[in-house]
């Protein structure tokens, strides 16, 4: 019996040209390179000037479509994970689909699950592929977090960056075991008991504006390593593999201490844990696809590699995906 899987056939990423180093941040708030580097692993972050979310999404998506060697007309679904859309409505995914030349009638929507947005979006798209509803999907994670950053709050403003990453997935046939190519398993979670630990100060329905990010960093930190490990472990359990089998763990890039903590918890050697936080900071829903695309582009991650994506963010939301590239 054949088994339908979703194979990643294209990757893309894009970051705005303007870079703010830690020294630049020290001119904005009372901070310094030493504090930011040792507490977070971040050295610099990209921020938009005139570009908006759809511009970043479009550029990452174009690269993914080219890399997949398909045309935009082949796409049956566009999902854009973000908490910083161009407009409240319509969905930025619909604007991006139109910019790309995706055919009229194609479903497109935004998905809001904060830093877990891409893992949620890829899970949804994979489920539609496996149900036979679609063949090819474009899944994007893109953020302009600089627009909801409180640039007077040193506790948060040094952490975030802007950027986008994208993948094209397409239906392929497998045997139904862990030797298959494509997404082998996924597991997503949320727990609203932590709603207030990381959220914006306002929102459309509450304050008629988007608000700014506020975070109880210590509370989020306490939860993050366990949640990231759980997302990875449960997805691996469903896939029928263990941490020993994987080539790479790609955790959400929020803090180097959290990333290293998850690697240790899963007993993975350092070289198996993907890290790109130094140049980007935390780009929320863009974090995983941006790192995935960068590492596929420079051939760190190669065809046949078994990769575990794991994320955790506001909500709290968290989850993991096992994928053979
Ligand atoms: O994307 C979703 C997931 N998000 C996360 O995973 C973030 C999780 N949290 C964290 O990564 C960390 O909690 C932070 C990086 C946000 C903070 O690190 P921390 O080691 O928990 O620092 P802290 O909040 O305990 O602050 C220690 C000190 C404080 O000073 P006092 O009160 O001890 O005098 C802060 O005021 O560091 C101070 N501080 C800073 N100093 C220089 C806070 N921010 C800064 C700063 N520069 N930017």
């Amino acid at each position: 019996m054949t088994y339908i899987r979703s194979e990643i056939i294209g990757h893309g990423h894009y970051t705005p040209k303007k870079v703010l180093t830690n020294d630049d941040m020290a001119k904005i708030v009372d901070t310094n390179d030493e504090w930011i580097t040792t507490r977070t692993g971040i050295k610099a972050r990209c921020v938009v000037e005139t570009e908006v979310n759809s511009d970043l999404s479009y550029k990452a998506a174009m690269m993914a479509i080219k890399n997949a060697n398909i045309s935009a007309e082949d796409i049956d679904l566009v999902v854009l994970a973000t908490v910083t859309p161009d407009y409240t409505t319509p969905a930025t995914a619909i604007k991006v689909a139109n910019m790309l030349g995706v055919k009229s009638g194609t479903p497109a929507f935004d998905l809001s699950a904060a830093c877990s947005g891409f893992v949620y979006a890829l899970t949804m798209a994979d489920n539609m592929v496996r149900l036979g509803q679609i063949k090819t999907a474009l899944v994007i994670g893109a953020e302009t977090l600089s627009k909801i950053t409180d640039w007077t709050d040193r506790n948060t403003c040094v952490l975030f960056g802007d950027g986008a990453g994208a993948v094209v997935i397409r239906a392929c046939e497998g045997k139904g075991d862990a030797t298959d190519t494509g997404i082998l398993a996924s597991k997503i979670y949320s727990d609203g008991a932590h709603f207030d630990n990381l959220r914006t100060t306002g929102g459309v329905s509450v304050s008629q504006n988007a608000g700014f990010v506020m975070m109880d960093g210590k509370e989020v930190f306490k939860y993050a390593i366990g949640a990231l490990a759980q997302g990875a472990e449960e997805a691996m359990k469903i896939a029928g593999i263990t941490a020993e089998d994987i080539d790479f763990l790609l955790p959400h890039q929020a803090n180097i201490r959290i990333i290293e903590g998850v690697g240790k918890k899963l007993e993975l050697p350092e070289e198996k844990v993907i890290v790109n936080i130094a140049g980007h900071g935390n780009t929320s829903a863009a974090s995983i696809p941006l790192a995935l695309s960068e590492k596929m582009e420079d051939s760190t991650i190669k065809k046949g590699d078994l990769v575990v994506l794991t994320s955790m963010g506001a909500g709290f939301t968290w989850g993991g995906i096992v994928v053979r590239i």
Side-chain angles (χ1 to χ4, degrees):
M1 205 184 91
T2 55
Y3 199 94
I4 300 176
R5 300 278 194 198
S6 313
E7 183 183 8
I8 296 180
I9 60 164
H11 61 267
H13 61 275
Y14 176 78
T15 49
K17 299 287 163 281
K18 184 175 177 187
V19 175
L20 288 180
T21 63
N22 290 346
D23 288 339
D24 293 329
M25 295 307 300
K27 291 177 198 140
I28 300 170
V29 285
D30 179 15
T31 190
N32 56 74
D33 176 52
E34 200 266 333
W35 190 96
I36 304 172
T37 304
T38 54
R39 296 292 179 128
T40 72
I42 300 165
K43 299 294 283 182
R45 67 290 290 146
C46 304
V47 293
V48 289
E49 291 173 285
T50 56
E51 291 170 309
V52 294
N53 185 315
S54 55
D55 298 317
L56 312 189
S57 294
Y58 171 78
K59 285 175 180 152
M62 276 301 280
M63 179 176 163
I65 289 167
K66 262 197 196 150
N67 182 257
N69 204 17
I70 62 162
S71 134
E73 292 186 358
D74 299 322
I75 293 167
D76 306 316
L77 170 75
V78 180
V79 190
L80 169 48
T82 190
V83 294
T84 47
D86 284 11
Y87 293 94
T88 303
T89 194
T92 303
I94 297 171
K95 187 175 175 191
V96 174
N98 191 48
M99 290 163 79
L100 291 167
V102 170
K103 56 191 176 294
S104 168
T106 303
F109 62 93
D110 290 357
L111 190 152
S112 173
C115 301
S116 303
F118 183 77
V119 166
Y120 265 60
L122 194 54
T123 298
M124 294 299 114
D126 171 49
N127 286 339
M128 287 182 73
V129 168
R130 289 190 297 111
L131 276 172
Q133 293 177 334
I134 56 163
K135 275 207 160 56
T136 308
L138 171 65
V139 183
I140 308 167
E143 301 286 7
T144 51
L145 293 177
S146 59
K147 301 289 182 81
I148 56 166
T149 296
D150 176 353
W151 290 95
T152 65
D153 177 13
R154 71 174 183 172
N155 290 291
T156 54
C157 74
V158 300
L159 305 174
F160 302 112
D162 299 338
V167 295
V168 175
I169 59 169
R170 189 170 62 193
C172 68
E173 287 185 356
K175 299 193 298 252
D177 64 30
T179 65
D180 286 351
T181 296
I183 295 172
L184 304 182
S186 61
K187 180 77 184 167
I188 50 177
Y189 301 89
S190 82
D191 183 353
H194 304 278
F195 196 87
D196 291 327
N197 291 148
L198 172 51
R199 63 167 171 80
T200 48
T201 50
V204 182
S205 187
V206 170
S207 60
Q208 295 170 291
N209 56 37
F212 295 103
V213 176
M214 54 182 245
M215 173 166 69
D216 183 344
K218 273 203 191 323
E219 276 307 304
V220 182
F221 195 103
K222 266 197 258 167
Y223 205 84
I225 294 175
L228 288 164
Q230 185 184 24
E233 278 169 339
E234 290 303 314
M236 288 194 287
K237 210 182 279 174
I238 297 166
I241 61 160
T242 68
E244 279 185 9
D245 301 316
I246 72 173
D247 294 294
F248 293 104
L249 178 77
L250 200 178
H252 170 54
Q253 308 284 306
N255 186 314
I256 190 67
R257 292 182 290 145
I258 295 173
I259 296 167
E260 288 172 355
V262 183
K264 278 206 185 91
K265 201 162 185 330
L266 298 181
E267 297 180 10
L268 288 166
E270 230 174 78
E271 62 275 13
K272 285 196 173 186
V273 182
I274 300 282
V275 182
N276 79 341
I277 192 171
H280 297 295
N282 180 349
T283 56
S284 192
S287 152
I288 287 180
L290 177 57
L292 181 65
S293 177
E294 279 186 354
K295 298 300 176 186
M296 286 176 77
E297 193 61 18
D298 73 9
S299 298
T300 304
I301 298 177
K302 293 181 278 302
K303 188 90 194 128
D305 282 348
L306 193 53
V307 181
V308 176
L309 316 176
T310 185
S311 63
M312 184 270 170
F316 291 153
T317 55
W318 67 106
I321 290 180
V322 178
V323 58
R324 189 178 297 284
I325 303 297

